[in-house]
Amino acid sequence: MEVAQMLAGHSILVYLFLAFLVGGMIIPFVTAKNPQGFRKGSFIYTMIFQAIATMVAFSGLVAVFTGDLGWATTTIIMVAVWAVMMYIEIKKYKAIKLANLKNENTHKVLKSAFIKISIIQVLLVSIMIVIMILKA
């Protein structure tokens, strides 16, 4: 497999990940009246998030090592962004899992945090896409 094909596969996964992040923002709205549904939706979202993010990272690292691309500044930034996003996602899910969602105020705060974190994650991925487009 050529490096160009590996990078194309990586790009497709990144765009899929971005679409997933944008689509995931509907979870708080769909489960607005159902705290347990919100908790379950968040769990499923987090598992899929981690799966796609890991595929993105793995495909990128395979391309770096197989293609002898080296560790450019942008590659290091991508790895750091991936680590930060995974950390934030795990913390977000843990907060939702442990919270008393029967308390309406807690439920509202966590829904708001879910949306804000999702927006930040979309911005991080979008910024990395723009940086890589400009680099090319």
Side-chain angles (χ1 to χ4, degrees), residues 58-126:
F58 183 74
S59 66
L61 289 174
V62 167
V64 165
F65 287 113
T66 307
D68 229 4
L69 300 177
W71 287 94
T73 305
T74 52
T75 306
I76 294 168
I77 292 170
M78 279 189 275
V79 171
V81 166
W82 177 83
V84 166
M85 287 181 65
M86 288 295 263
Y87 176 79
I88 291 170
E89 186 61 31
I90 291 166
K91 286 293 193 184
K92 177 180 79 176
Y93 174 69
K94 228 178 188 177
I96 292 169
K97 179 182 176 183
L98 299 175
N100 177 14
L101 293 179
K102 291 180 182 182
N103 180 337
E104 192 173 322
N105 289 332
T106 303
H107 188 214
K108 283 181 182 179
V109 167
L110 287 174
K111 286 189 315 185
S112 173
F114 189 101
I115 293 168
K116 289 174 186 170
I117 290 169
S118 293
I119 290 169
I120 290 169
Q121 290 171 334
V122 166
L123 287 174
L124 286 171
V125 172
S126 299

